Amino acid sequence: MPLARIDVAADTSAETVKIIGAVIYEAMTGVANVPANDRYQIVTRHAKDELIYPEEGYLGVTYTPQIVFIQVTWNAGRSIEVKKAFYKAIADGIHERAGIRKEDVFITLIDVQREDWSFGNGEMQYAPKP
């Protein structure tokens, strides 16, 4: 049920994008208890002037043009500990496997209710049971 939106610079290689997507999916299944095969990701590449971040840094974190914005929409209910572990798994994995600085991995989460999804056919597959 999670939907990951991944925004990267236009010159990000296909291999790097593949690694980023794999790391996010592995963190979802390994840390956040998302079911296998529940992988929905949208990758958007942007021109240099379309990825805007504070060049002077924010909260002690500085950024480079390699910044990766990751936005995950998923079901509400995960603990703060799970969310922290999820952030760490993604930043560590992208750094280790793609060579992108951990500081350049920006993640946001959007919690929604189970009934806020339709996986096709115009149906609410996770409709509340009567």
Side-chain angles (χ1 to χ4, degrees):
M1 60 208 102
L3 171 62
R5 293 184 174 275
I6 305 162
D7 293 275
V8 297
D11 61 354
T12 304
S13 73
E15 181 61 26
T16 297
V17 168
K18 183 177 178 181
I19 290 168
I20 292 168
V23 167
I24 295 168
Y25 175 68
E26 290 163 13
M28 286 180 179
T29 57
V31 175
N33 200 30
V34 170
N37 301 318
D38 193 350
R39 184 176 183 177
Y40 298 89
Q41 299 177 342
I42 300 167
V43 177
T44 306
R45 288 179 168 79
H46 298 273
K48 290 180 183 183
D49 65 335
E50 294 177 337
L51 292 175
I52 300 166
Y53 53 88
E55 292 182 16
E56 62 281 354
Y58 185 70
L59 298 175
V61 180
T62 58
Y63 307 100
T64 73
Q66 272 196 307
I67 193 166
V68 177
F69 290 99
I70 300 166
Q71 182 181 66
V72 177
T73 303
W74 63 5
N75 286 342
R78 291 176 175 84
S79 69
I80 290 174
E81 292 76 25
V82 167
K83 291 177 181 182
K84 285 181 179 181
F86 182 71
Y87 296 147
K88 182 169 177 22
I90 291 173
D92 288 350
I94 290 173
H95 175 70
E96 291 165 9
R97 293 167 54 186
I100 295 172
R101 300 172 48 229
K102 292 180 194 182
E103 296 90 340
D104 284 326
V105 179
F106 182 98
I107 306 166
T108 62
L109 299 174
I110 300 172
D111 289 337
V112 299
Q113 299 305 309
R114 291 179 58 83
E115 64 269 15
D116 294 333
W117 300 93
S118 173
F119 291 90
N121 293 325
E123 299 173 11
M124 182 187 292
Q125 285 84 357
Y126 290 130
K129 304 292 183 211

